[in-house]
């Protein structure tokens, strides 16, 4: 990131930009005197051209860093404030264009057929499940739902780059990651219904998934709380002998405003934790646009400020996501360093079933992201070009996905909810006498007044 | 000459008065009653509470390779010296400083516990635990419940220095137990001295529930006992009857136990009555059985804590006691506590529920 200045320094800027993009390559030094002179000039000028200072400074402290313990920096004699425009914005890394064509072939991860099809099929499955469960909430069959529209690419792109050992901490809009990891539609729908097969025992709202088997820490509603927790888990993993896993922590651009996000970045950097922070910057936190969430260069710009390796990625591009997370994972595990990935996307759906987003944004805006920048269509065009997929297969798979969801819902609906006593279990490892007493009170109450409770929906002893 | 003598006398009186005032102002508000019964047989050594806590953590780090100790300034030994020597002994990756951020410390600890490590976190003063309130209340306490026991924060213990210290003012004196006593899923524990601190802390560390261990900081150096050097634990959720009698039940925890023990002694000497003195030890879940059995026997109960009266934990005790012991009660349950104000600096001697306020309440309870 280069410091920017006013127009009087435009020429210098252009010159420096050329240096940065490599127009001036280092001269090949042969043994002639002339070449030596060129090399000398080059070596003296290059550091100046690459410097972020504009006016010549009177050297202080012999040009060495000052001795304050808090920073490693030299003195300058020019007083200048820095602000959000002092740096070029972090560019957005992408691999494919809107037509699913690879822009620079060196960046194509060349994933095998199975992986590609698995990625695409997961995205379609997710999108079909979202559609049907969203509708079922509208019909009052489940109490609440949150869709993942527009962010499917972030999910499968990142999940494909991880191994089952890597521990996942999610916010709530990362269901594609869970599906790709191996959670089944049945497991997800059982949670939404809170039936007896939900490992969470029907205690949490829908979409608060978790799976010990798949290394997915159970989701909770308070935003960003999972971030410092993920850092602690990464620290524990680092201390395991021959560790070859890392932690990935997903969060939205809104959650990044919480104090816990700040805590997490700082702890991860100072305690050298193998963690990938993956920010889904989808432009909105419920109704709040990012212009009211922050004034800096997104979430990404905070990474280097905290001493964290950072990259900004096109979240509608599964390959860009895949490449970034693969590299981040290697960096995290090999060097015990945190990495921040800011995945740019657009929240195509409403925030949740309790939200009507047309109250704060236009339909045209949404349209662009559904048509031109859809992660699904980009990946579909890519695999179609490879001859791995066609319209027929697409229709077939979408239909199969819908059927799976509808069938699973019908089954989930028929299943009883857990016994009411599970309401008071797992508060502690062992049930304390006072809770035992309360359970007894409720049992006595239900003996007398049971007809006023939905006991028939729950399992009996 | 006479004039000068008079002047000197005045000066002497003034100095004496000042010394006397300062004695009242700065002297400890309690006499320490050391534990004389040993929880386990075997070799003991003199330790103050700080050393006993250090010893418990030393044993944990030695026996549990996943255990780590962290917080603000714990690396060099801690501002109360509780972690002294542990970093040199176990290395920087097991005993380390964190950035200055309580919500981070609590969240980081929960994460360690989630991934299967034993986490012992220090919050420098209990007064500064509130930035971590969300992590403790919404996350640590509910992790087991919400995941159907697939995940839990049971391996997390949060230690914090709590209670009055003579001159701590608003933010180095608070007793925060009642805020956490309203949170199902947490264990809240307060020791009264070195022996109980070591045994209860080891229990907290090993307990499969997240624990908040509130250490009365005034006892760190002032309390010394013969502490068993070997590993031992004391049961959580259990109160301890320290003195037996039939006239009244005095209930407290932490430093206040020593105030109540002195009040029981005063009552025996001055009123010729004997009281049960109960150290609650575990604030949550608390030992209803021991408390109610005692009150049913004595018929009178005085609860005392440093924290403010309104919604203090004494309220929970009083409500349960009246519900469970209604037919046995000879008088209304009496609560002697800090006043409903922030904890003041220069007024501390007037603020704390010292032996004189407890003694007055006890006499009134007996005359009811």
């Amino acid at each position: 990131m280069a410091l920017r200045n006013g127009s009087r320094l435009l020429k210098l800027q252009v010159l420096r930009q050329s240096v940065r993009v490599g127009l001036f390559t280092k001269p090949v030094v042969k043994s002639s005197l002339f070449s030596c002179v060129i090399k000398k000039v080059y070596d003296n000028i290059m550091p100046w051209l690459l410097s972020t200072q504009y006016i010549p400074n009177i050297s202080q402290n012999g040009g060495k860093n000052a001795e304050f313990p808090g920073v490693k920096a030299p003195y300058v004699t020019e007083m200048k404030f820095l602000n959000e425009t002092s740096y070029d914005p972090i560019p957005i890394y992408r691999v494919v264009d809107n037509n699913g064509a690879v822009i620079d072939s060196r960046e194509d991860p060349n994933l095998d057929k199975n992986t590609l099809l698995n990625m695409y099929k997961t995205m379609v499955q997710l999108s079909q499940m979202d559609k049907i469960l969203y509708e079922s909430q509208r019909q009052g069959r489940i109490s609440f739902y949150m869709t993942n529209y527009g962010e499917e690419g972030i999910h499968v792109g990142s999940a494909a780059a991880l191994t089952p050992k890597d521990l996942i901490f999610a916010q709530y809009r990362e269901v594609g990651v869970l599906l790709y990891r191996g959670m089944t539609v049945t497991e997800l729908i059982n949670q939404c219904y809170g039936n007896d097969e939900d490992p969470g025992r029907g205690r949490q709202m829908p979409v608060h998934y978790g799976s010990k088997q798949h290394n997915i820490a159970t989701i909770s509603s308070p935003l960003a709380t999972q971030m410092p927790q993920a850092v602690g888990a990464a620290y524990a993993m680092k201390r395991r002998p021959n560790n070859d896993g890392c932690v990935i922590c997903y969060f939205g651009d809104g959650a990044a405003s919480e104090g816990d996000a700040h805590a997490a970045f700082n702890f991860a950097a100072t305690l050298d934790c193998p963690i990938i922070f993956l920010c889904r910057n989808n432009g909105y936190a419920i109704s709040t646009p990012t212009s009211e969430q922050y004034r800096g260069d997104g979430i990404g710009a905070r990474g280097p400020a905290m001493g964290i390796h950072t990259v900004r990625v096109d979240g509608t591009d599964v390959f860009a996501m895949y490449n970034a997370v693969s590299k981040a994972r290697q960096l995290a595990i090999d060097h015990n360093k945190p990495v921040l990935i800011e995945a740019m996307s657009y929240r195509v759906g409403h925030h949740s079933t309790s939200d009507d987003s047309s109250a704060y944004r236009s339909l045209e805006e949404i349209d662009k992201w559904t048509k031109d920048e859809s992660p699904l269509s980009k990946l579909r065009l890519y695999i179609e070009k490879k001859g791995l997929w066609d319209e027929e297969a697409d229709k077939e798979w979408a239909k199969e996905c819908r059927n799976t969801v509808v069938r699973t819902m019908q089954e989930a609906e028929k299943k009883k909810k857990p016994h009411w006593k599970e309401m008071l279990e797992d508060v502690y490892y062992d049930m304390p006498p006072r809770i035992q007493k309360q359970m007894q009170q409720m049992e006595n109450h239900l003996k007398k007044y049971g007809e006023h409770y939905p006991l028939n929906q729950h399992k009996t002893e | 000459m006479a004039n000068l003598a008079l002047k000197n006398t005045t000066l002497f009186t003034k100095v004496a008065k000042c010394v006397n005032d300062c004695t009242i102002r700065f002297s400890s508000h309690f006499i320490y009653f050391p534990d004389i019964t040993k929880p386990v047989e075997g070799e003991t050594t003199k330790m103050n509470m700080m050393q006993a806590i250090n010893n418990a953590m030393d044993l944990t780090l030695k026996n549990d390779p996943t255990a780590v100790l962290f917080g603000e300034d714990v690396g060099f030994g801690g501002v109360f010296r509780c972690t002294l020597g542990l970093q040199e002994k176990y290395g920087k990756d097991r005993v380390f400083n964190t950035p200055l951020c309580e919500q981070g410390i609590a969240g980081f600890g929960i994460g360690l516990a989630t991934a299967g490590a034993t986490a012992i976190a220090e919050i420098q003063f209990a007064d500064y635990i509130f930035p971590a309130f969300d992590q403790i209340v919404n996350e640590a306490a509910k992790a087991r419940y919400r995941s159907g026991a697939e995940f839990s924060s049971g391996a997390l213990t949060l230690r914090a220095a709590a209670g009055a210290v003579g001159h701590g003012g608003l933010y180095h004196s608070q007793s925060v137990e009642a805020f956490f006593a309203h949170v199902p899923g947490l264990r809240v524990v307060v020791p009264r001295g070195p022996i109980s601190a070591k045994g209860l802390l080891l229990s907290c560390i090993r307990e499969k529930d997240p624990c908040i261990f509130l250490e009365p900081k005034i006892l760190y150096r002032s309390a010394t006992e013969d502490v068993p050097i070997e590993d031992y634990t004391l049961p959580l959720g259990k109160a301890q009857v320290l003195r037996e009698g039939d006239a009244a039940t005095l209930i407290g925890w932490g430093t206040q136990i020593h105030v109540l023990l002195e009040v029981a002694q005063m009552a025996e000497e001055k009123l010729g009555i004997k009281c049960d003195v109960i150290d609650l030890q575990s604030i949550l879940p608390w030992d209803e059985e021991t408390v109610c059995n005692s009150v049913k026997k004595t018929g009178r109960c005085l609860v005392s804590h440093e924290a403010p009266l309104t919604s203090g934990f004494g309220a929970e005790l009083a409500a349960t006691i009246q519900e469970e012991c209604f037919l046995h009660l000879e008088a209304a349950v009496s609560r002697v506590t800090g006043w409903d104000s922030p904890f003041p600096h220069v007024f501390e001697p007037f603020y704390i529920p010292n032996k004189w306020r407890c003694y007055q309440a006890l006499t009134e309870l007996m005359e009811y």
Side-chain angles (χ1 to χ4, degrees), chain A residues 400 402-412:
Chain A
E400 199 179 323
R402 270 196 303 278
N403 290 343
T404 308
V405 176
V406 171
R407 196 181 57 243
T408 310
M409 276 175 61
Q410 285 163 350
E411 285 162 10

Side-chain angles (χ1 to χ4, degrees), chain A residues 199 203 211-212 216 218 220 225 228-229 232-233 235 239-240 259-260 270 423 425-429 434 437, chain B residues 65 93-94 96 103 107-108 111 115 134-135 139 144-148 150-151 185-186 209 286 288 316 324:
Chain A
R203 291 173 186 142
S211 168
K212 181 89 184 164
I216 299 159
T218 304
S220 73
T225 48
Q229 293 172 15
Y235 192 90
R239 291 199 62 247
R240 288 179 194 161
D260 275 329
T270 58
M423 168 175 75
E425 282 165 9
D426 299 327
V427 180
Y428 292 90
Y429 181 79
R434 268 171 92 85
K437 205 163 136 186
Chain B
D93 77 314
R94 300 195 64 194
F96 50 92
Q103 65 194 102
F108 184 81
D134 181 43
Q135 284 286 356
E139 296 292 319
R144 175 185 296 282
Y145 186 76
R146 71 169 181 235
S147 68
E150 285 209 329
F151 294 94
L186 289 183
D209 300 311
W286 64 280
E288 191 181 314
E316 178 58 40
E324 296 299 323

Side-chain angles (χ1 to χ4, degrees), chain A residues 274-291:
Chain A
I275 181 169
I276 303 169
F277 291 112
L278 205 157
C279 177
R280 298 175 293 97
N281 189 336
N282 62 17
Y284 290 92
I286 306 188
S287 73
T288 306
T290 49
S291 61

Side-chain angles (χ1 to χ4, degrees), chain B residues 28-109:
Chain B
S28 200
H29 67 281
F30 65 96
I31 297 169
Y32 187 75
F33 288 77
D35 269 9
I36 30 176
T37 51
K38 301 283 165 292
V40 281
E41 291 305 313
E43 205 186 324
T44 62
T45 187
K46 277 244 178 301
M47 290 186 204
N48 60 27
M49 199 175 79
M50 169 271 276
Q51 290 162 327
I53 289 164
N54 182 287
N55 181 238
M57 296 193 288
D58 192 354
L59 286 168
T60 306
L61 289 162
K62 193 168 84 185
N63 299 325
D64 177 355
T66 71
V68 290
L69 210 77
F70 54 94
E72 293 157 13
D73 306 303
V74 303
F76 88 115
V79 294
F80 291 111
R81 318 312 285 149
C82 288
T83 54
L84 200 63
L86 297 177
Q87 190 177 65
E88 289 90 82
K89 206 164 165 184
Y90 297 101
K92 263 189 114 164
D93 77 314
R94 300 195 64 194
V95 181
F96 50 92
N97 291 338
T98 64
L100 206 164
C101 177
E102 286 77 14
Q103 65 194 102
I105 292 170
F108 184 81

